[in-house]
Amino acid sequence: MAVCIAVIGKENSPKYISCLKEDEELQLHYKVHTSLDIVEEKLSAPTKAAGDLRELYLGLLYSTEELKVFGYVTNTKIKFIIVVDSANSMLRDNEVRTMFRKLHTAYTDVVCNPFYIPGDKIESKKFDAVVKAIFQGN
Amino acid sequence: MVADEVLLELIHSELVSYAYTKAEEKEKDKKEVDFSSLEYAGFLSGYRMIERLTKDWPRFKDELETLKFICTDFWSAVYKKQIDNLRTNHQGVYVLQDNAFRFLNKISSGTQYLEHAPRYVAFTCGLLRGALANLGIVSLVTAEIQPMPAVKFHIEVKRS
């Protein structure tokens, strides 16, 4: 399913990036980075479709032949990016939503850890486990 | 009252008395006592709490909507009641009025303990500031104690 999962902070600094395959890392980091522009664009767009815009889930940011990039922004301006393999055409919107929701729940748990300083990189075994579960598709 | 609601009040009053004795030790000669550590503890709590409370909410349209969320849901989550009155001048100043502030509710409502009252609102000022900061609103929060259990929180939004 997912090939790359990233958490980006308020000021667009990476808090957490994890890729499934090591040899594709550079390309995936680049994809995540470019997709941030589209996130900004979606957030600042004049409220044409106000109903849509207010949802945390931003939907498909862009897709290429082999990859699809999805975005999600919390109320506190933390961005989650998930890159999915396009070959997996059976993927439904709802499943992507579920992945994001799991990621968001895990993130709130990290923030509620009193030893975690907001803005730092995420170094948590629990969070790693959640990301791993998403990679494996459940 | 449910037991778990009492816990917050007890730990808060312990926190206040601890911070108060610490601050007093440090500056014996001064009349004013420094509440910044209490305020900072509130800031961190608010900052973390808001992450969880806004999880299932749609994105906020503007500043006013964010403040409304603070007045209703955030206040209910912490103090089990809503803010009684929200006022604004639409230029970045908001006044939140709580007619029966929970941390002052148990204290005699005359003027007898008025001088001790400020230490019970410092934490909450930080709580508000932290919650707003994580939602992207940098602000200055001060409190004004009206006739005893009523408190007005003044929020001044800093525009960059």
Side-chain angles (χ1 to χ4, degrees):
Chain A
M1 290 251 282
V3 292
C4 181
I5 292 175
V7 181
I8 315 287
K10 279 180 200 296
E11 315 292 338
N12 286 343
S13 57
K15 280 161 136 8
Y16 185 95
I17 297 192
S18 174
C19 301
L20 194 58
K21 288 184 197 128
E22 252 175 45
D23 51 331
E24 287 172 11
E25 231 168 35
L26 185 66
Q27 192 212 354
L28 287 171
H29 280 220
Y30 179 67
K31 284 272 181 309
V32 168
H33 196 93
T34 33
S35 63
L36 285 179
D37 274 345
I38 304 162
V39 172
E40 294 279 307
E41 199 175 285
K42 287 212 181 208
L43 285 182
S44 62
T47 45
K48 253 183 255 160
D52 270 347
L53 259 160
R54 296 195 49 204
E55 207 184 346
L56 303 179
Y57 174 60
L58 295 177
L60 187 67
L61 295 179
Y62 73 78
S63 61
T64 59
E65 264 172 50
E66 62 269 24
L67 294 168
K68 277 184 180 149
V69 184
F70 294 90
Y72 182 103
V73 181
T74 71
N75 264 312
T76 53
K77 300 287 174 290
I78 307 291
K79 292 121 189 148
F80 299 114
I81 309 275
I82 294 183
V83 185
V84 180
D85 209 333
S86 281
N88 199 321
S89 55
M90 289 301 286
L91 190 70
R92 295 218 191 91
D93 211 35
N94 249 348
E95 293 171 50
V96 182
R97 252 172 236 264
T98 326
M99 290 199 278
F100 277 123
R101 207 161 301 139
K102 271 184 197 155
L103 209 55
H104 193 173
T105 310
Y107 176 74
T108 52
D109 286 344
V110 169
V111 174
C112 286
N113 173 3
F115 296 108
Y116 171 76
I117 300 159
D120 274 10
K121 280 213 162 197
I122 297 171
E123 278 162 1
S124 153
K125 279 185 191 153
K126 262 194 183 163
F127 193 80
D128 284 339
V130 171
V131 170
K132 210 172 170 191
I134 294 174
F135 276 142
Q136 282 159 358
N138 45 28
Chain B
M1 192 187 268
V2 196
D4 60 337
E5 290 176 27
V6 181
L7 289 177
L8 173 67
E9 277 169 37
L10 291 177
I11 200 164
H12 177 260
S13 65
E14 279 307 311
L15 190 67
V16 169
S17 70
Y18 175 76
Y20 187 73
T21 39
K22 275 275 169 196
E24 229 177 12
E25 263 171 40
K26 240 185 0 196
E27 29 201 328
K28 278 196 180 106
D29 40 336
K30 280 189 199 160
K31 273 229 155 147
E32 297 268 306
V33 184
D34 179 20
F35 291 124
S36 58
S37 62
L38 213 53
E39 206 263 351
Y40 188 60
F43 177 84
L44 286 181
S45 315
Y47 198 96
R48 288 166 207 274
M49 224 182 302
I50 207 74
E51 194 72 54
R52 188 160 291 214
L53 289 175
T54 56
K55 193 161 78 76
D56 299 317
W57 274 73
R59 207 187 323 287
F60 298 125
K61 256 202 322 259
D62 49 19
E63 209 173 84
L64 187 63
E65 201 172 308
T66 313
L67 260 298
K68 275 186 198 158
F69 170 83
I70 297 281
C71 290
T72 53
D73 286 79
F74 181 73
W75 217 255
S76 310
V78 185
Y79 300 105
K80 308 290 171 210
K81 72 187 281 284
Q82 296 190 357
I83 280 283
D84 293 302
N85 195 351
L86 166 68
R87 278 200 248 175
T88 173
N89 66 352
H90 295 288
Q91 278 164 27
V93 178
Y94 299 85
V95 180
L96 280 60
Q97 187 177 342
D98 190 335
N99 290 332
F101 185 55
R102 202 166 129 203
F103 292 148
L104 293 176
N105 241 347
K106 304 281 181 293
I107 306 173
S108 155
S109 52
T111 50
Q112 191 183 358
Y113 295 108
L114 199 60
E115 54 174 320
H116 299 300
R119 66 179 84 160
Y120 289 100
V121 296
F123 180 82
T124 308
C125 285
L127 207 64
L128 281 170
R129 195 167 66 87
L132 290 170
N134 203 0
L135 291 170
I137 300 174
V138 183
S139 59
L140 186 75
V141 181
T142 49
E144 173 193 343
I145 293 146
Q146 293 264 306
M148 234 340 211
V151 181
K152 272 184 184 171
F153 294 97
H154 294 258
I155 298 171
E156 209 178 300
V157 178
K158 293 263 177 268
R159 310 244 185 248
S160 50

